[in-house]
Amino acid sequence: MTKRVAIFVSGGGSNMRALVEDMTGDHPARACVVLSNNADAGGIAWAKARGIATEVVDHRPFQGDRTAFEGALSAAMARHRPDMICLAGFMRKLTGGFTDQWAGRMINIHPSLLPKYKGLHTHSRALDAGDTIHGCTVHEVTAALDDGPILGQAQLSINADDTPQTLAARVLTLEHQLYPAVLRRFAADDRTPVFLQG
């Protein structure tokens, strides 16, 4: 039975695109909706152009009322009957009230080798720490920020001349390989971690 996937984005959605482009043929999942908190998100335009259903729930009118915002997210998503959620650059923190409903059915990609560097500015933090290895992680989503069981990691060596920008670009290339590989397994109920070398 093919899994129906809701993909959440806030911007261009390059990871969403990588997921959608991989969900063909014998893949055990298909995107049923791309949802954003930003009507101008490039990911929304891209999905619409490909005939994928889209929903926009602007967080700003909720003025920090996360519960009300998440209620609106749930209502918009319910119309598409997803079996699981992929967060792909969705820049809103979700509360336990939302994540608990989707426990074991929601995954996220984060640009660091978790548990290192939860939160923002991961590339500059890795450089500032003098790390020699960096990468990205796909994990199950829990109420704790960038926490939850790890489903896959991809790593690369940091170059002496790397900047946060060059490192971000190199890690993003890895993200586009790792996230589809993990989703393919996860949608088939296989939680064996995926490990890639860049």
Side-chain angles (χ1 to χ4, degrees), residues 16 34 39-56:
M16 173 271 292
V34 173
D40 298 324
I44 290 289
W46 187 90
K48 277 184 178 172
R50 279 149 189 81
I52 301 167
T54 61
E55 297 279 354
V56 175

Side-chain angles (χ1 to χ4, degrees), residues 65-145:
D65 184 344
R66 289 179 193 263
T67 303
F69 171 61
E70 291 171 357
L73 279 180
S74 294
M77 198 170 42
R79 295 192 275 271
H80 305 278
R81 306 182 318 283
D83 299 305
M84 60 173 292
I85 298 171
C86 288
L87 303 181
F90 186 66
M91 304 307 289
R92 307 303 301 171
K93 174 95 166 66
L94 297 166
T95 71
F98 186 91
T99 60
D100 289 353
Q101 295 174 48
W102 290 91
R105 297 184 296 148
M106 179 161 49
I107 61 178
N108 178 52
I109 189 152
H110 181 73
S112 80
L113 295 173
L114 292 173
K116 278 189 166 185
Y117 313 128
K118 297 176 182 182
L120 302 174
H121 312 300
T122 58
H123 310 301
S124 56
R125 288 159 69 191
L127 290 172
D128 290 346
D131 290 356
T132 57
I133 300 293
H134 188 47
C136 53
T137 304
V138 177
H139 63 97
E140 290 188 43
V141 177
T142 64
L145 179 68

Side-chain angles (χ1 to χ4, degrees), residues 8-31:
F8 287 22
V9 302
S10 289
S14 69
N15 271 305
M16 173 271 292
R17 299 178 194 197
L19 292 176
V20 167
E21 287 170 351
D22 193 57
M23 281 189 265
T24 59
D26 64 353
H27 195 291
R30 291 292 185 274

Side-chain angles (χ1 to χ4, degrees), residues 3 151 181-194:
K3 294 273 175 65
L151 298 168
V182 171
L183 176 60
R184 194 175 271 267
R185 279 194 190 179
F186 190 79
D189 300 315
D190 180 355
R191 284 168 166 73
T192 309
V194 176

